[in-house]
Amino acid sequence: MKEKLGRILKGNFYVAAVIALAGIVLSFLLCTVFLTENIILMLAPLWLFVIFAVMYLVLDFIPQTSGKWYIKLGAMAAVAVVLAALLILLG
Amino acid sequence: MEIKTKLKRALLSGLFFSAIITFAWFLFKSACVRRAVVVTLCVAAVIFVLKLVFDIVADRIKLRWMFLANVLFAVVAIIVFLITAVYAFAPAVIFKTSFDEKAYNSMADYEDIIEKIEINEGKYSGWLIHNAGDGAPLVLYYGGNEDNSSARMAWFMEENDRLVTFSKCNFAYVDYPGYGKSAGTPSDKSLKEFGIDVYDYFDQRSDVNDIVIMGYSLGTGVANYVASQRNPCGLVLMAPYADGYDLYNNKLNIFHGPLRLLVSYKMRAEKFAKDISVKPLILASKVDETVPYKSSTRLFQAYGNGGDFVTVNIGHREFWEDSEVMGKVKEYIASLSDRAD
């Protein structure tokens, strides 16, 4: 029973996470659209989504980083810190 | 690894980092934004758990058409998120809290004329200009959005003739919750409580006899509410609105019918106007880009005892600078003093 439940949860965790995260990003996007007047800041959640999705694919494509999840995560986290700092300072 | 799996992970990475960075950014925004972020995260957690429960139930009852069920769940979840976002984030768009530190510090130069006001053990903070001595009428001002007491007081002090309008009275301005040095977050409820607390504070002071309530833009709703609950000797409203729905619809014209339920800042000034006995002076502009002129006229029609309605042709931010507006305010305040004499 426990194994079955675990299997169900593991199999559906991805969909639940995507729905929850997509909802959060959509809500944040709605807020930035009305809260800011600068076109870049206005669609910031959308740009961030595109940047990191493309970044993941690029890092996955490069042979030196493709098999190493910790390098991908480290690089993305570093970019995330820089972008967050920029948004806080400029926005 | 399959291309499909790679795309899935890229999608999840994009969403995850977008959410995290925007979240970090919002933490440095106003209290209204932070509160809305917390609400959004709570809703996300609930939807996440509901989705897992939904999957377990679907497996138990051996639900067919699982893909369709997932799509339906996602659509309902996104609608819930949008509703939450509008309800929670709209106050952050409506209330633009501000604090002018330079102006606040400059108040020390005017200690002889400007008194610092702290109400409810420092919860609300503001200033009182002793312009006409004890016993003179007090103009209690409820300011507009993006405005704060220190900046307004500094503006008065910049040029001598700016206080001429209030030459025979004292002038008080206390910051709304979340504005200036006042604690809390602005909302329909907190602004009403604030309005009453501030009025009662001045009403109980021994050096204050008559209070004239004055409101501008956002503050006209609070001014109307306080005037309906208390008994001021006058009411001056610059760029007033009939209710919060008009402010929302001026930003995005969708809040009609059932969508009115999404409006969290209702502030039904039109309803309060029916209980106000004093005759107000209303100043509204046909070219006001923030408060629709129609909203001001609708509000004016709600006053049982009538009043004076003055139409001007100036932008929303020009009321304080306009000589015609200030002249009418001065005349109105003088007429109240004459009546009292």
Side-chain angles (χ1 to χ4, degrees):
Chain A
M1 179 66 188
K2 263 188 181 176
E3 276 178 25
K4 197 183 172 189
L5 194 67
R7 207 171 54 247
I8 296 167
L9 291 180
K10 199 181 171 189
N12 295 298
F13 183 84
Y14 173 80
V15 179
V18 166
I19 290 174
L21 283 172
I24 292 172
V25 171
L26 204 69
S27 303
F28 287 176
L29 183 65
L30 201 71
C31 179
T32 53
V33 163
F34 288 100
L35 208 62
T36 53
E37 282 159 12
N38 182 313
I39 187 74
I40 295 169
L41 295 178
M42 200 183 265
L43 300 174
L46 186 67
W47 307 137
L48 291 168
F49 166 70
V50 173
I51 288 168
F52 283 95
V54 170
M55 194 178 168
Y56 180 90
L57 291 173
V58 170
L59 288 174
D60 206 60
F61 182 74
I62 299 168
Q64 286 86 346
T65 54
S66 68
K68 295 160 185 162
W69 65 267
Y70 51 90
I71 295 181
K72 273 190 268 186
L73 186 66
M76 289 169 100
V79 174
V81 170
V82 172
L83 288 177
L86 272 176
L87 277 176
I88 291 162
L89 291 173
L90 301 175
Chain B
M1 205 192 298
E2 269 185 79
I3 289 182
K4 201 178 162 188
T5 313
K6 284 181 183 177
L7 286 174
K8 270 183 170 183
R9 288 187 179 176
L11 172 73
L12 199 63
S13 302
L15 287 173
F16 177 75
F17 281 103
S18 175
I20 288 287
I21 296 171
T22 319
F23 171 75
W25 177 29
F26 282 173
L27 286 182
F28 289 85
K29 293 264 179 193
S30 66
C32 275
V33 176
R34 288 198 295 273
R35 192 171 55 180
V37 166
V38 171
V39 173
T40 306
L41 292 183
C42 290
V43 170
V46 169
I47 284 181
F48 182 79
V49 171
L50 277 179
K51 178 69 181 82
L52 294 179
V53 171
F54 172 81
D55 290 334
I56 292 166
V57 173
D59 187 72
R60 279 271 170 93
I61 61 169
K62 307 253 183 280
L63 185 72
R64 289 177 185 185
W65 309 104
M66 201 52 202
F67 177 74
L68 198 68
N70 271 336
V71 170
L72 199 69
F73 187 94
V75 169
V76 172
I78 295 301
I79 291 171
V80 170
F81 269 112
L82 288 178
I83 289 171
T84 309
V86 172
Y87 190 83
F89 281 110
V93 178
I94 295 287
F95 303 115
K96 292 182 175 156
T97 55
S98 65
F99 172 56
D100 189 334
E101 196 169 356
K102 193 181 161 196
Y104 182 83
N105 292 333
S106 75
M107 289 300 107
D109 301 339
Y110 309 107
E111 270 178 349
D112 52 330
I113 179 172
I114 299 180
E115 177 192 344
K116 187 175 184 183
I117 301 295
E118 289 198 331
I119 301 170
N120 287 2
E121 294 166 354
K123 187 180 175 189
Y124 305 131
S125 170
W127 306 98
L128 166 63
I129 303 183
H130 290 277
N131 201 33
D134 292 356
L138 173 76
V139 174
L140 177 54
Y141 177 64
Y142 294 103
N145 216 352
E146 296 182 66
D147 202 358
N148 63 80
S149 63
S150 304
R152 180 59 59 199
M153 295 298 163
W155 180 81
F156 274 131
M157 293 299 130
E158 272 171 23
E159 285 179 31
N160 290 335
D161 61 341
R162 283 178 177 166
L163 264 174
V164 168
T165 309
F166 308 101
S167 56
K168 289 181 182 170
C169 41
N170 300 316
F171 185 94
Y173 182 4
V174 181
D175 285 311
Y176 298 129
Y179 288 66
K181 284 272 184 187
S182 291
T185 49
S187 68
D188 191 276
K189 191 177 170 228
S190 70
L191 258 59
K192 282 177 183 169
E193 283 173 2
F194 158 86
I196 293 293
D197 285 352
V198 170
Y199 184 94
D200 288 346
Y201 166 81
F202 286 108
D203 197 33
Q204 283 159 15
R205 276 179 65 133
S206 58
D207 56 347
V208 175
N209 291 331
D210 298 321
I211 298 179
V212 179
I213 294 177
M214 183 175 177
Y216 166 55
S217 186
L218 179 75
T220 59
V222 188
N224 266 309
Y225 176 72
V226 176
S228 71
Q229 300 294 312
R230 296 293 185 265
N231 198 21
C233 72
L235 177 63
V236 180
L237 303 171
M238 301 192 296
Y241 52 90
D243 51 42
Y245 302 111
D246 287 344
L247 297 183
Y248 273 61
N249 280 323
N250 200 45
K251 293 266 180 199
L252 184 67
N253 195 9
I254 59 163
F255 300 98
H256 305 284
L259 288 182
R260 282 165 70 95
L261 291 171
L262 297 178
V263 174
S264 52
Y265 180 71
K266 295 181 175 66
M267 198 53 87
R268 300 173 195 267
E270 194 183 5
K271 194 178 134 199
F272 309 144
K274 292 183 172 71
D275 300 324
I276 295 173
S277 53
V278 68
K279 287 185 179 180
L281 166 67
I282 289 185
L283 299 128
S285 171
K286 281 187 175 174
V287 291
D288 193 321
E289 63 280 17
T290 304
V291 176
Y293 182 71
K294 272 185 185 174
S295 187
S296 302
T297 54
R298 190 154 60 86
L299 172 70
F300 180 65
Q301 283 157 10
Y303 291 99
N305 292 334
D308 295 328
F309 189 96
V310 178
T311 301
V312 288
N313 280 300
I314 51 174
H316 187 72
R317 290 168 186 264
E318 292 164 22
F319 276 83
W320 270 104
E321 308 276 355
D322 190 79
S323 56
E324 187 189 353
V325 169
M326 288 300 118
K328 292 286 178 189
V329 173
K330 192 177 179 185
E331 267 176 38
Y332 178 81
I333 294 172
S335 72
L336 294 175
S337 303
D338 294 345
R339 238 178 278 164
D341 293 340

